[in-house]
Amino acid sequence: MGRHRTDEFDGGYQAQDPAPRRRPRAGRGRVLVPLAGAVALAMLLGVAAFVIFNREHDCSGGKLPLQVVATPDIQPSLTKIADTYNKALHSIDGKCVEVAVAKQTAARTENSLVAGKFAADVWVADSSLVVNRARNHPSGAVSLPESAGSIATSPVVLAAAKSAAAKLEGSLKPSWSSMVAAANVANVDGPGKKVRVLALDPQKNSAGLAALLAAAGTAKAAKQDKALVGALKELAGQLVSDPSALLASLTVKGGSKIPLGVTSEQAIHAHNAKKPETPVVALYPGEGTLSLDYPVTVVTKDPEVLKAAAAFSKELTTESAQRVLRGQGFRGPDGDAGEVLTTAKGFTPSPPKALPAPDVKTVATMTQTWTRLNLGTRLLTLLDVSGTMALPVPGTNLTRMQAISKIATEGLSLFPADSEIGVWKFSTHLDGRGKDWQEVVSVGPLTESVNGVLRKDALARQMATVQAKATGDTGLNDTLKAAYTEMTSTYQPDKINTLLILTDGAGNDDPDGGVTNAQILTYLKKAYNPQRPVSILLIAFGPEAQSGKRQMDAVAQATGGEAYIAKDPLEVRDFFLQGMERRLCSPNCDG
C-alpha cells in the first residue's frame, strides 16, 4: 500500500485552486458605504457651520460700539446681559458689536435730550410716562421714535417695614385713597395721626410720578380734590431723594407714627437683598396701580448702529436675558414674577390690577399741578382789629377777634417752613392820623429771626395777643390798596404771591372817606397782572359777613382770588386748601 499524496495541498493544487475565503462578519459590507456618506455629510455640515459661525461672528472689520443709557435700577442687569452678549461676538457687517451700559436717572436723561446733549444710542428708561413726556416736550426739541417694546415691569406699590406692617392693619387699608387721607394736612383727625407718608419726588423719579398719577386719578374719581391738594402739599415736605433712601428710612425706629412709603416692587426686592436684617414688605393698593415698564428707545440715526441696536434690543427679550431680569426682582413684560417675588419674601406673585395708563395730556397737567402747588409761598395777612371785632360770637365764649385769631393760626399752620409770611393789622387811624394799617410782622421766611425771635414764633405770639381797637372803624379799602401795592412791587416770580384778608365782614366802614368800593375795584383790576399775579384770598367771620359777600367776591375775583365766609374756625382748613387749588389754574381760573 502506498502513501497518500499530499501535493494537492503542498504543491500544484494549492496554486491552481482558489484559497478558501474567510466568512465575512455580519453586516460589515452594508454599513461601510453609509458610514462614509455620514462622515462626508458631517464634514460638509461642519464646513457650513464654520462658514455661518464666522459670518455671524466676523470681527475682521473691528468693533462696533453701542452705547446704552439705562436707569440705575435696571442698569446692573443690562450690564450682565451685555457682557454675555459681547463675549458671544455678535457682528454687524464684519464688525463685532460691543455694548456698554451706563446708568442715569430717567429725569436727567430727559433733560439731556431736551437740551440736545444726549450722546448715547439707546435709552432704557424705567417708564413710558417719562419717554412720552420727553417726546411731547413743549419745546419740540426731542425727536424720539416709538419704543421697541417693554423688557420688564415693576408695579408701583406702598411699602412698610415688615416689623410695622401688622400695626398698619388697624390704621390704614392699602389703597391710594387711604394714602391721600393719611397725607392730607387738613385732615388732622384722619389716619395721619398714626401714619407718616413718605414720597419720591415725581419730578425726579418715575415711581414717584406714577404714584402721583395713580393717587390723583383715584382721588378725582372719588371727588376728593381738596383732600388731594392737602396731601400733595404735605408730601412736598416729606420727599425722599431716591428709593434706597426711602426704604431705609422706613426701617428706622423713632417717633410715634408708622412710616409708609411709595416705591417700585423691584426697589423693595433690591433693598431686602442688600439689607435682609431690616426687610420691607410690599402693600398692593386695592384700586390697582401703575407699573414701571422699561421701554427700549433707539435714539441713534446711524444706519450701522441702528442694526446693532435692533439686534441687542431683540436679545433683551430672549429667555436667557429675561431670566437675568427676573432674578433681580423685575417682572416680565406680561407681569410674570418668576421665582424671586414670592409670598414668603413679602410679595404677591400674581400681577396686581392695572389702572388705565394716563395719556400724555394727563401726565403734563399733573406735572404742572405738582410744580405749581410746590412753588414757595409769599403771603401777607391783613388782620381786621376794628371795634366790631370785640363783639362776642353767638353760641361761643369767643370774641370775633379771638375767632379770627384762631382762624389765622389754623390757616398759617398749613404752610411749610420755607414759606414767607407777614402780618399787618388794620383799623381807621391805627398808625397815626390817616393811616389805617400797621405792620406787625414783616413778610419773610418763617425760619428767619426777627428781633431775636423766629418769625414763626413771632406770628404765633401776635395772633394770641392781638386786641381789637374799641373805637376803630374798618378802613379796609385804604389798607387793601397799600398792601396790594406793596405785594406787587415786591413780587417774587418763584413763589405764589397772595394777599390774605381776615375780617368780620363789616365792609369798608371808613367815616373819613378814603378809597371807595368802586375805586378799589377799579384799582385792583388795573393793578392785577396775570404774568405777575398777586391773588386775594378773603375769609370773613361774623353775622354781617353775608351782607357784604357781593363786594368781597368782587374784590377777590378782580385778582383771580376767592372769598369765603367761615361759620366755624375749623372750616378755614378747607378754605386754605381751596385757595391752594386756585394755584393750579391761575391766572385763568375763571376764564
Side-chain angles (χ1 to χ4, degrees), residues 174-328:
S175 67
W176 296 115
S177 58
S178 293
M179 187 203 79
V180 168
N184 183 4
V185 66
N187 188 12
V188 294
D189 297 318
K193 292 176 68 175
K194 297 181 179 179
V195 178
R196 178 169 60 94
V197 182
L198 305 176
L200 295 166
D201 190 340
Q203 292 182 312
K204 299 178 180 178
N205 186 278
S206 298
L209 176 60
L212 171 65
L213 290 163
T218 55
K220 288 181 180 296
K223 301 187 184 305
Q224 296 178 331
D225 293 60
K226 282 187 291 186
L228 176 64
V229 172
L232 297 183
K233 197 63 192 166
E234 175 68 7
L235 290 175
Q238 303 290 343
L239 295 180
V240 183
S241 58
D242 58 66
S244 58
L246 183 146
L247 291 166
S249 66
L250 297 181
T251 62
V252 176
K253 295 182 179 179
S256 58
K257 294 185 178 182
I258 302 170
L260 178 75
V262 183
T263 187
S264 73
E265 188 182 61
Q266 191 276 336
I268 295 175
H269 163 79
H271 168 88
N272 291 348
K274 195 176 195 180
K275 299 182 178 180
E277 70 282 0
T278 54
V280 171
V281 295
L283 306 174
Y284 298 84
E287 305 97 337
T289 191
L290 298 172
S291 292
L292 304 182
D293 60 339
Y294 301 92
V296 177
T297 306
V298 178
V299 182
T300 182
K301 299 294 191 296
D302 184 291
E304 195 173 42
V305 181
L306 274 171
K307 295 179 183 178
F312 185 64
S313 298
K314 185 177 180 181
E315 177 69 20
L316 295 175
T317 65
T318 62
E319 179 54 32
S320 59
Q322 288 293 303
R323 276 198 302 270
V324 172
L325 290 165
R326 289 195 298 267
Q328 294 304 311

Side-chain angles (χ1 to χ4, degrees), residues 106-193:
R108 289 194 65 181
T109 303
E110 180 185 7
N111 290 336
S112 66
L113 280 164
V114 171
K117 296 181 179 180
F118 184 75
D121 306 308
V122 178
W123 179 24
V124 182
D126 48 11
S127 175
S128 293
L129 296 173
V130 181
V131 176
N132 291 336
R133 187 172 65 187
R135 185 181 289 117
N136 293 276
H137 192 272
S139 69
V142 183
S143 176
L144 290 176
E146 289 299 317
S147 298
S150 167
I151 59 170
T153 57
S154 188
V156 175
V157 296
L158 305 180
K162 185 177 181 179
S163 59
K167 299 176 185 176
L168 274 175
E169 292 181 5
S171 305
L172 182 139
K173 180 181 179 182
S175 67
W176 296 115
S177 58
S178 293
M179 187 203 79
V180 168
N184 183 4
V185 66
N187 188 12
V188 294
D189 297 318
K193 292 176 68 175

Side-chain angles (χ1 to χ4, degrees), residues 270-580:
H271 168 88
N272 291 348
K274 195 176 195 180
K275 299 182 178 180
E277 70 282 0
T278 54
V280 171
V281 295
L283 306 174
Y284 298 84
E287 305 97 337
T289 191
L290 298 172
S291 292
L292 304 182
D293 60 339
Y294 301 92
V296 177
T297 306
V298 178
V299 182
T300 182
K301 299 294 191 296
D302 184 291
E304 195 173 42
V305 181
L306 274 171
K307 295 179 183 178
F312 185 64
S313 298
K314 185 177 180 181
E315 177 69 20
L316 295 175
T317 65
T318 62
E319 179 54 32
S320 59
Q322 288 293 303
R323 276 198 302 270
V324 172
L325 290 165
R326 289 195 298 267
Q328 294 304 311
F330 295 96
R331 292 176 182 260
D334 59 355
D336 177 24
E339 299 177 357
V340 170
L341 302 175
T342 63
T343 304
K345 294 181 179 180
F347 302 98
T348 299
S350 57
K353 176 184 175 183
L355 291 173
D359 58 26
V360 172
K361 183 178 179 181
T362 300
V363 175
T365 300
M366 206 61 229
T367 301
Q368 183 185 47
T369 294
W370 175 263
T371 302
R372 293 186 69 83
L373 271 175
N374 292 288
L375 285 174
T377 293
R378 185 166 180 270
L379 177 75
L380 173 57
T381 300
L382 303 183
L383 191 62
D384 186 352
V385 295
S386 60
T388 55
M389 296 295 288
L391 297 174
V393 177
T396 74
N397 58 355
L398 300 174
T399 65
R400 294 182 188 180
M401 188 76 258
Q402 291 169 329
I404 285 290
S405 296
K406 286 192 117 185
I407 286 174
T409 302
E410 279 284 340
L412 297 181
S413 69
L414 300 180
F415 291 94
D418 61 353
S419 301
E420 295 188 8
I421 297 177
V423 173
W424 291 5
K425 58 184 180 180
F426 68 94
S427 181
T428 51
H429 310 303
L430 187 65
D431 192 22
R433 187 73 187 172
K435 186 178 179 183
D436 297 342
W437 63 94
Q438 184 179 56
E439 182 179 83
V440 177
V441 179
S442 62
V443 176
L446 290 176
T447 54
E448 187 178 70
S449 180
V450 180
N451 298 323
V453 180
L454 286 180
R455 181 174 273 101
K456 179 180 179 180
D457 295 334
L459 287 168
R461 185 180 302 170
Q462 288 294 331
M463 293 301 176
T465 59
V466 66
Q467 299 289 322
K469 180 184 177 185
T471 59
D473 294 302
T474 309
L476 172 60
N477 290 347
D478 284 10
T479 303
L480 178 53
K481 184 176 181 180
Y484 201 81
T485 300
E486 171 70 15
M487 288 295 284
T488 52
S489 64
T490 58
Y491 178 85
Q492 293 187 17
D494 63 334
K495 294 180 175 61
I496 297 293
N497 297 257
T498 305
L499 191 61
L500 170 64
I501 303 170
L502 297 174
T503 179
D504 63 357
N508 181 48
D509 191 22
D510 190 347
D512 295 332
V515 179
T516 66
N517 286 346
Q519 288 172 336
I520 194 62
L521 290 177
T522 299
Y523 165 77
L524 291 174
K525 289 174 183 178
K526 184 177 179 180
Y528 178 68
N529 180 354
Q531 302 306 315
R532 294 167 57 89
V534 176
S535 296
I536 292 174
L537 177 63
L538 198 157
I539 299 176
F541 185 87
E544 292 91 354
Q546 191 60 50
S547 63
K549 184 69 162 60
R550 184 175 179 179
Q551 176 68 8
M552 288 165 49
D553 286 339
V555 164
Q557 291 170 10
T559 62
E562 195 72 71
Y564 305 98
I565 295 176
K567 297 177 182 177
D568 184 298
L570 296 183
E571 281 186 288
V572 75
R573 297 177 187 147
D574 279 347
F575 297 155
F576 272 83
L577 291 183
Q578 289 177 48
M580 289 177 187

